[in-house]
Amino acid sequence: MSFVTTEDGTRIFYKDWGPRDARPVVFSHGWPLSADAWDGQMLFLLQRGYRVIAHDRRGHGRSDQPGTGNDMDTYADDLAALIDTLDLKEMLMVGHSTGGGEVARYIGRHGTGRVAKVVLVGAVPPIMVSTEQWPGGLDLSVFDGIRKGVFDNRSGFYLDLAIPFFGFNRDGASLDEGLRQSFWRQGMQGSIVGQYACVREFSEVDYTEDLRKIDVPTLVIHGDDDQIVPLGHAGELAAKIVANATLKIYPGAPHGLAATHQDQLNADLLAFAEA
């Protein structure tokens, strides 16, 4: 397995597949998952000649589980350490959910010197809670409930969360137990300390100024049946804030559209990369 060690000694696990001289696509995963959430996209783009890289955020997956540094600034710096170590250039950066916040904060802190394009998929920016600037968000009590679920019975909470995450609770939907168990496995592989702390990072951190620093072509993809990160307070706003952004809405798609709408997302990623 491959790891990069950050300044504070934390080891970050990553996958790096494909020719070293091929164009890199860097993926940032959602909460409480790992790089495995991107397998369908990584294999697809690998087979088409791209170099694909995805890491497990600290406190998640196979990365170390420190009690400190579980905040978005550090996540972004961890990502920068990986990118700098691999000397990636002209990247296509893809972030889902919390990973979208990570991509935005990486650019906010480190710029776009290594970045060619950005894709935000069901991403949390600009901010999930209601604020004076963005009043249409969710109440803080929603995220207090998530923290309670993680604290009281993380295993059961993740099994339950997978249902709306993939839209299995909608009329006519069939439960895919494989996807549900994969969600649970990835979640339980991580640290309760890091995952509990990360709730604040995907809900209460404001990424507005980070979005404004994105000065490369950006594709915002969001499902209009996203029960986790509502379209109207996320994708639609982000596409307005980012200067050179295009919004693409997937009708009926849930939050976990990378799995439920894998072929559609893969086609869109390839078309955007090659445009």
Side-chain angles (χ1 to χ4, degrees), residues 240-262:
K240 293 176 182 177
I241 297 168
V242 178
N244 191 15
T246 299
L247 175 63
K248 188 161 191 176
I249 298 172
Y250 286 14
H255 191 56
L257 61 80
T260 63
H261 291 62
Q262 177 175 291

Side-chain angles (χ1 to χ4, degrees), residues 121-134:
V121 183
V124 299
I127 189 171
M128 287 192 69
V129 296
S130 290
T131 65
E132 184 175 345
Q133 183 179 17
W134 308 117

Side-chain angles (χ1 to χ4, degrees), residues 147-225:
R147 278 183 275 258
K148 187 176 189 308
V150 171
F151 187 93
D152 288 349
N153 180 5
R154 186 167 59 129
S155 179
F157 180 73
Y158 290 162
L159 285 172
D160 291 342
L161 181 60
I163 301 298
F165 189 96
F166 295 111
F168 296 149
N169 56 340
R170 294 310 199 200
D171 289 343
S174 299
L175 173 64
D176 186 325
E177 188 61 26
L179 276 182
R180 187 187 188 197
Q181 291 297 327
S182 178
F183 183 97
W184 175 87
R185 173 188 60 80
Q186 291 178 59
M188 294 305 295
Q189 195 174 24
S191 161
I192 190 172
V193 173
Q195 291 173 353
Y196 185 94
C198 189
V199 175
R200 176 187 177 275
E201 307 311 303
F202 70 67
S203 62
E204 299 164 55
V205 174
D206 192 331
Y207 299 99
T208 303
E209 294 308 312
D210 301 303
L211 292 176
R212 288 178 174 150
K213 292 180 181 179
I214 299 177
D215 57 2
V216 296
T218 300
L219 176 62
V220 179
I221 295 174
H222 217 108
D224 69 2
D225 194 30

